[in-house]
Amino acid sequence: MKAQFFYLLTFLFLPIFSAAAGPRGPLLGGWQPIKNVKDPHVKEIGEFAVSEYNKTSKASLKFQNVVKGETQVVSGTNYRLVVVAEDGGVTKNYQAIVWEKPWENFKKLTSFTPVKA
Ligand SMILES: *[C@@H]1O[C@H](CO)[C@@H](O)[C@H](O)[C@H]1NC(C)=O
């Protein structure tokens, strides 16, 4: 009976603990610079941010490019990007934060604020 109980504990809890410690390593929570902001996926995230901002704020910004960015490992990835977009003929910089869970095809704009160029 005791042995069985121990077995049960091991099988129930070991996977939970190892999942919590995870293979994700020590980077969890830290922001890492994006080395290549010309990467098509990074551009896609930037364009998504501008187009979401367009929708939610009834703006009509035209995405130009991403000039800087960082990522953070969460459940998925947070992208914190400096995006250049055109606002009625004027080019401005914005900081956009996008949360992506690629395995669920999930993307969400969590923040979009103008920054000084
Ligand atoms: C935002 O809206 C404007 C006007 O509808 C459009 O011209 C522009 O391409 C949109 N930008 C993005 C990134 O979808």
Side-chain angles (χ1 to χ4, degrees):
M1 192 58 192
K2 233 180 178 171
Q4 269 170 334
F5 183 64
F6 184 71
Y7 246 146
L8 198 71
L9 272 185
T10 313
F11 277 99
L12 275 181
F13 290 105
L14 206 64
I16 297 172
F17 286 134
S18 40
R24 284 164 296 187
L27 295 184
L28 184 75
W31 288 95
Q32 299 294 312
I34 296 173
K35 290 194 189 84
N36 178 18
V37 290
K38 303 257 181 281
D39 183 292
H41 187 66
V42 174
K43 277 192 159 177
E44 194 187 309
I45 299 283
E47 190 156 11
F48 167 81
V50 175
S51 114
E52 281 297 291
Y53 181 72
N54 263 2
K55 274 187 239 164
T56 54
S57 305
K58 301 205 183 338
S60 50
L61 303 184
K62 288 194 182 69
F63 172 78
Q64 292 191 335
N65 59 316
V66 175
V67 289
K68 215 171 111 181
E70 296 155 294
T71 57
Q72 178 190 42
V73 177
V74 285
S75 168
T77 305
N78 271 330
Y79 289 81
R80 184 163 66 190
L81 306 177
V82 176
V83 170
V84 181
E86 201 191 292
D87 182 9
V90 187
T91 304
K92 292 180 185 165
N93 285 12
Y94 299 88
Q95 188 190 69
I97 300 179
V98 174
W99 177 28
E100 185 189 39
K101 288 191 280 184
W103 64 94
E104 283 179 16
N105 207 4
F106 169 92
K107 276 206 277 301
K108 187 175 190 291
L109 180 64
T110 48
S111 133
F112 195 91
T113 49
V115 289
K116 291 190 189 82

